[in-house]
Amino acid sequence: MEKQVKRIGVLTSGGDAPGMNAAVRAVVRTAIGNHIECIGIRRGWHGLIAGDFVRMDADSVNHTINKGGTILYTARSGEFLEPPGRDKALATCKLLGLDGIVAIGGDGTFRGALALSRQAAERGYDLRVIGIPATIDNDIGCSHYTIGFDTACNTAIECIDKLRDTMQSHERCSVVEVMGRHAGYLALYVGISVGATAVLIPERELDFERDVIEKIRKARLAGNTHYMIVVAEGVGSAFDIGKRIHDEIGIDPRVTVLGHIQRGGSPTARDRETASRMGYEAVMALTRDCGNRIIGTQDGRVVDLDMEEALQMHKTFNMDRYQVLETLSNLSTPDL
Ligand code: F6P
């Protein structure tokens, strides 16, 4: 017999991403629309352990769809990684009478959710968990897209367009480090979008002569006097890249680390819309009683996948995009 879901929790965990609020809003409003009570857990898993919660009604998410950050706050919890920490979290779930939790975050968030659900089952407690992928890194295996990526790309592009102005005036080389943890998606999208001279990503082994020096040389021979090198943080420090450029060809690059600025700001249409659809599907999946799920996108469609299987999935980095960049940056008159 299907279990009726009466009350759920929603939380955001790990690094924040623009669009998380739109996802929370969608979860809250879809739950209420389906006669399910919704409790906001503040500060992620850490908050679940501490019993840090807030009741969410439809008005509690008014005017949040346009806001960056997360109204529920976020944290990374070491204690939750261990069974005793999860038992404390389960005590909160029981006290609140939660039938399910929607966890918005990245890979670590989902692994924590699955561990919690399994531990609950061992204790005879049916607690279902649903994951919504939100990270600017776009590095979650089971989903083509993660909430926040588009906004972060646009933020980085806006910053680099500004850098381009001053680099052009001074005829300089700019080395810009973008986030992405171990993945190069952000760097590559941004690099293509700003017409970078070179983009360095962790998915491609670095050959400094081929990937940096030769590109700058070609651009110079084509008549350019300023160069934009985009470096994914997973490759290493942009300062080291800048120094190496200086040591090898004598030009004096300026280094910019965009850092956490990429995590903020009002979410773009793509992030608001995707987050809204994912939040809606997360609650609908809970009402369908189909176990632990991750809501992802595949070719623009929102899909829900078995959480255990989804966590085994790997994303193949699309090297065709790198080829696009290579082709465009090797034209005789590159953009930068
Ligand atoms: O996962 C998102 C992300 O912004 C990564 O791109 C980056 O490596 C990391 O989080 C930074 O984490 P923190 O907020 O702990 O500095």
Side-chain angles (χ1 to χ4, degrees), residues 76 135-137 179-181 233 260 263:
R76 293 190 171 105
T135 161
I136 66 163
D137 304 339
M179 276 190 168
R181 206 180 286 267
E233 68 172 333
H260 291 79
R263 292 234 299 254

Side-chain angles (χ1 to χ4, degrees), residues 35-99:
H35 313 289
I36 298 169
E37 275 184 64
C38 194
I39 309 280
I41 311 294
R42 288 187 294 219
R43 302 178 178 86
W45 300 125
H46 175 74
L48 197 61
I49 290 172
D52 184 0
F53 68 91
V54 56
R55 293 191 72 155
M56 310 287 287
D57 59 18
D59 288 345
S60 66
V61 287
N62 282 350
H63 313 298
T64 58
I65 196 165
N66 56 323
K67 289 202 164 62
T70 161
I71 55 166
L72 290 177
Y73 304 96
T74 184
R76 293 190 171 105
S77 169
E79 197 180 354
F80 190 75
L81 297 176
E82 303 299 329
R86 290 198 292 272
D87 271 332
K88 287 188 198 165
L90 284 175
T92 306
C93 295
K94 275 199 174 166
L95 179 69
L96 298 176
L98 300 183
D99 299 305

